[in-house]
Amino acid sequence: MGSDQIQAVSSSHEVLRSVLAAPGVKGKMVTSSSENGLTNLIQSIISKKQEQKDPFYVLDLGVVFSLVEKWNRSLPNVRPFYAVKCNPEPALLGALAALGTGFDCASRAEIEAVLSLGVSPDRIIFANPCKAESHIKYAAGVGVNLTTFDSQDEIEKIRKWHPTCSLLLRLKAPDDSGARCPLGAKYGALPEEVTPLLQACHAAGIAVAGISFHVGSGASHSRAYHGAIAAAKAAFETAVELGMPRMSILNIGGGFTMGSNFNDAAVTIEEALESYFSNEPGLTIISEPGRFFAESAFTLAVNIIGKRVRGNLREYWINDGIYGSMNCLLYDHATVTAMPLDPTGRGVKTYLSTVFGPTCDALDTVLTGHQLPELQVNDWLVFPNMGAYTTSAGSNFNGFNTSAIAIHLACSNPS
Ligand SMILES: *Cc1c(COP(=O)(O)O)cnc(C)c1O
């Protein structure tokens, strides 16, 4: 190892230590796991639970650490503000706080959750373009002084309840067609609305610090970021033409996914920033990734509570479903995968299988046409990549309470 590498390793150990000491993490048991460790870890949790067969999550803080490192390497000039709505688990929030991110909160309760971890209010953006007056008053009281807007009525509410707040004008992204969940039908100023909205802020004496956009959650093509950054630049210039103070914040929102899509997005963003914003001295660039930091950090283990055999078809009932963690199938247009915890060797015969959730609604169907080996009641299924828009939007329909699902903390060696 060269001395640079040794330094990198020892500083990453220090950072990991700060994650383990973070509010939300400290005081909870964190199991360190290594290669192939997740399966072993899930097995050891299950053996300790004995008769207790409730579903549970494993949150791997080592994955969170690696993702933040990856972000910082790929987009070193773009500070992430984690979108809390994606998964508000306190251990995740605390780990991200220790790793230096800011937070995108959309409500009073989300701001409270972040502040309660000791995060200072200047690390929070109230990134909801349409806020209830009571929530605006709360933000003013605790010193959250940056928010987004896209309407005249929002300006009026801010003027009344939080006039020292800085605003980011949320633009409708020019092209969110490639996103799994486009947001443009609900949020973002249209091009022709930019001038009147900026003028209204000017008239109200409210500072417009910059521009924000969101290319849609689960963005699939990186050109969406290019078009949106170009539109943001045009809005920066409009402010100058209107004789307003120079804007200084560009917020490129969320939409980031794992894998090669992220690398494409990072390259496109860096290029677009170079083309459009290299002549903006003192610019602060921020972002609001949710899915990117949460999705792959959480693994869900569920128990098979029922089984029915119909010819070659195997039907299983598990103890989490569409009204719980798997609401992502409906709301987030997600796909999920299930693996048996104990794959009984390779080459094992598989059956066309259906996996149902526990509630008495036929809609509560998690997987159809899925190949699984023959499983029995009390066996476990493992769902990887279940951290994004899962528990955060679950209900307690039929008495199956999503928020009661336990979360075990693990820390793999960061890759
Ligand atoms: C939901 C949301 C995010 C997070 O989006 P991801 O696609 O999960 O990265 C960021 N900003 C705002 C304003 C959002 O509403």
Side-chain angles (χ1 to χ4, degrees):
M1 244 192 255
S3 65
D4 280 3
Q5 277 169 296
I6 291 171
Q7 206 165 14
V9 169
S10 68
S11 77
S12 75
H13 281 171
E14 256 161 59
V15 175
L16 263 182
R17 226 175 327 204
S18 74
V19 167
L20 298 179
V25 179
K26 192 180 175 174
K28 293 184 185 153
M29 192 170 84
V30 181
T31 314
S32 71
S33 67
S34 50
E35 197 67 23
N36 222 346
L38 199 56
T39 306
N40 292 342
L41 177 62
I42 290 173
Q43 252 144 3
S44 79
I45 293 167
I46 288 166
S47 66
K48 286 199 198 94
K49 283 159 64 93
Q50 292 173 353
E51 292 311 300
Q52 221 263 80
K53 301 274 197 291
D54 292 340
F56 63 91
Y57 276 94
V58 175
L59 161 57
D60 187 341
L61 299 170
V63 170
V64 178
F65 171 86
S66 298
L67 289 168
V68 172
E69 293 274 287
K70 187 176 169 67
W71 181 283
N72 291 340
R73 271 196 313 273
S74 307
L75 290 166
N77 302 315
V78 182
R79 177 154 183 230
F81 283 61
Y82 170 67
V84 173
K85 79 168 187 283
C86 185
N87 191 321
E89 161 57 29
L92 174 63
L93 301 182
L96 287 168
L99 293 166
T101 76
F103 295 90
D104 155 0
C105 298
S107 62
R108 174 180 178 147
E110 287 187 355
I111 294 172
E112 282 171 343
V114 171
L115 291 179
S116 75
L117 297 168
V119 173
S120 85
D122 60 5
R123 286 171 68 182
I124 296 175
I125 173 170
F126 197 171
N128 184 340
C130 187
K131 300 162 286 290
E133 289 183 323
S134 62
H135 294 218
I136 297 171
K137 278 189 256 184
Y138 171 76
V142 296
V144 170
N145 297 326
L146 185 62
T147 190
T148 59
F149 77 107
D150 66 1
S151 66
Q152 302 270 356
D153 280 79
E154 198 69 10
I155 300 168
E156 184 50 27
K157 284 187 287 174
I158 304 282
R159 191 191 61 74
K160 232 164 139 180
W161 303 113
H162 194 0
T164 58
C165 197
S166 289
L167 300 188
L168 303 183
L169 173 56
R170 167 101 169 242
L171 303 182
K172 177 170 157 33
D175 175 16
D176 62 7
S177 60
R180 211 156 93 192
C181 309
L183 299 166
K186 184 170 179 184
Y187 292 121
L190 305 173
E192 63 271 25
E193 291 168 345
V194 169
T195 296
L197 286 170
L198 292 178
Q199 282 170 325
C201 289
H202 204 33
I206 293 171
V208 182
I211 296 296
S212 79
F213 57 78
H214 194 306
V215 298
S217 195
S220 65
H221 41 67
S222 62
R223 67 171 184 271
Y225 289 100
H226 187 105
I229 288 170
K233 175 65 180 187
F236 267 61
E237 280 168 357
T238 301
V240 172
E241 284 157 19
L242 293 174
M244 296 172 71
R246 252 203 134 70
M247 293 181 181
S248 62
I249 300 178
L250 172 64
N251 177 359
I252 64 170
F256 301 90
T257 55
M258 290 289 306
S260 62
N261 272 355
F262 177 69
N263 302 329
D264 288 352
V267 168
T268 302
I269 287 164
E270 290 286 303
E271 281 170 2
L273 292 175
E274 178 60 33
S275 309
Y276 296 103
F277 280 93
S278 56
N279 63 347
E280 293 285 344
L283 180 71
T284 299
I285 309 169
I286 66 173
S287 60
E288 299 163 348
R291 187 185 309 279
F292 180 75
F293 288 128
E295 184 168 69
S296 59
F298 289 79
T299 304
L300 175 66
V302 304
N303 193 252
I304 295 176
I305 57 169
K307 177 177 178 180
R308 183 169 61 197
V309 176
R310 280 191 172 151
N312 282 330
L313 181 67
R314 298 289 177 273
E315 295 172 304
Y316 302 105
W317 277 255
I318 58 175
N319 50 5
D320 196 358
I322 288 267
Y323 289 93
S325 301
M326 287 80 166
N327 74 81
C328 60
L329 293 171
L330 293 185
Y331 294 145
D332 191 35
H333 312 290
T335 47
V336 297
T337 49
M339 303 173 305
L341 179 62
D342 297 300
T344 355
R346 279 169 204 281
V348 126
K349 182 169 166 52
T350 60
Y351 295 83
L352 206 59
S353 306
T354 300
V355 177
F356 295 119
T359 69
C360 291
D361 184 354
L363 176 72
D364 194 359
T365 304
V366 174
L367 289 164
T368 52
H370 203 63
Q371 288 290 336
L372 286 170
E374 179 96 49
L375 297 166
Q376 309 302 337
V377 169
N378 289 326
D379 283 347
W380 290 83
L381 278 178
V382 174
F383 289 74
N385 302 320
M386 286 293 286
Y389 305 108
T390 48
T391 47
S392 60
S395 72
N396 59 10
F397 177 59
N398 244 188
F400 299 97
N401 186 357
T402 313
S403 55
I405 299 176
I407 299 184
H408 296 262
L409 302 183
C411 192
S412 61
N413 291 325
S415 49

